[in-house]
Amino acid sequence: MRFLTVPGYTGSGPDHWQTHLENAYEGFSRVVQDDWATVDRDRWVARLDEAVRAVDGEVFLVGHSCGSVTVAQWAATRYDGRVTGALLVAPADVEAPGALDAIRPQAPLPASVLPLRIHLVVSDDDPFLSRERGPALAEAWGATIEVVPGGGHLATRDGYGPWDHAAALVARHSGTVLKRRSAPVTTPGTTGGRAPLA
């Protein structure tokens, strides 16, 4: 089993929970976009598709924010049966009237059941996903869902650096026992700073 993390707009910095997963556990690698600051629906989906098809064997996807949106859009248009499931955390509502201009090019969101098992994690006070929209997406996509009280965007600036629950969810929903690396690694393609969706 290989695990592909799929960051969103601005990428996931060195203390983001996705980066911690990649650095702490075997089998994780990152889908790296050419330009994290320019959201391009088609290019981001194509890059994810390339990464999936480069893996020999089963794949589990781990998305955050606009990366979760990319996973959903890939599943709706290019699904590959070797992908056994996905953990999608805090998908950004790129269709919302108040969405950032930078992420609007990623619209529209899929509106039908997706062909893979998805577990959605949202919070009840995410500035980029309303309290009502998270459950609506879960229903539309045929996903299971959990709501984190007061989690914000479930990102670095919200206190989600090392996040043991994310590792537990990946293990549970992939049906895999995660193995810790003997020594931490540094993930390429990370970005620093405290950008809005990082």
Side-chain angles (χ1 to χ4, degrees):
M1 175 75 72
R2 294 289 301 179
F3 305 94
L4 295 179
T5 60
V6 189
Y9 174 56
T10 74
S12 293
D15 199 36
H16 192 281
W17 60 266
Q18 285 183 315
T19 307
H20 283 283
L21 284 177
E22 296 156 7
N23 294 345
Y25 295 97
E26 295 180 2
F28 281 81
S29 55
R30 172 169 297 197
V31 177
V32 179
Q33 302 293 346
D34 291 330
D35 183 357
W36 292 114
T38 303
V39 176
D40 185 311
R41 173 193 171 102
D42 293 338
R43 288 184 181 179
W44 283 28
V45 168
R47 178 57 55 84
L48 172 56
D49 193 59
E50 290 171 6
V52 167
R53 295 182 190 283
V55 175
D56 182 16
E58 293 185 330
V59 182
F60 187 87
L61 303 175
V62 183
H64 178 250
S65 191
C66 290
S68 293
V69 173
T70 296
V71 171
Q73 292 170 334
W74 172 85
T77 59
R78 300 196 184 194
Y79 175 64
D80 183 313
R82 290 176 304 116
V83 175
T84 64
L87 172 67
L88 301 186
V89 177
D93 188 355
V94 296
E95 297 175 339
L100 295 175
D101 289 341
I103 67 174
R104 287 181 182 275
Q106 208 173 15
L109 293 166
S112 59
V113 174
L114 299 176
L116 75 165
R117 291 181 293 112
I118 292 174
H119 184 66
L120 196 61
V121 181
V122 300
S123 84
D124 60 5
D125 64 347
D126 188 338
F128 304 107
L129 182 73
S130 71
R131 185 177 301 192
E132 299 76 23
R133 186 68 158 147
L137 288 179
E139 182 176 0
W141 296 347
T144 56
I145 185 172
E146 66 182 86
V147 180
V148 178
H153 194 50
L154 300 167
T156 308
R157 66 177 183 172
D158 303 302
Y160 291 85
W163 187 23
D164 291 341
H165 187 55
L169 288 174
V170 170
R172 182 190 314 159
H173 291 282
S174 68
T176 304
V177 176
L178 301 186
K179 297 180 181 178
R180 285 200 171 269
R181 295 183 185 273
S182 56
V185 299
T186 301
T187 299
T190 58
T191 57
R194 292 163 60 99
L197 300 186

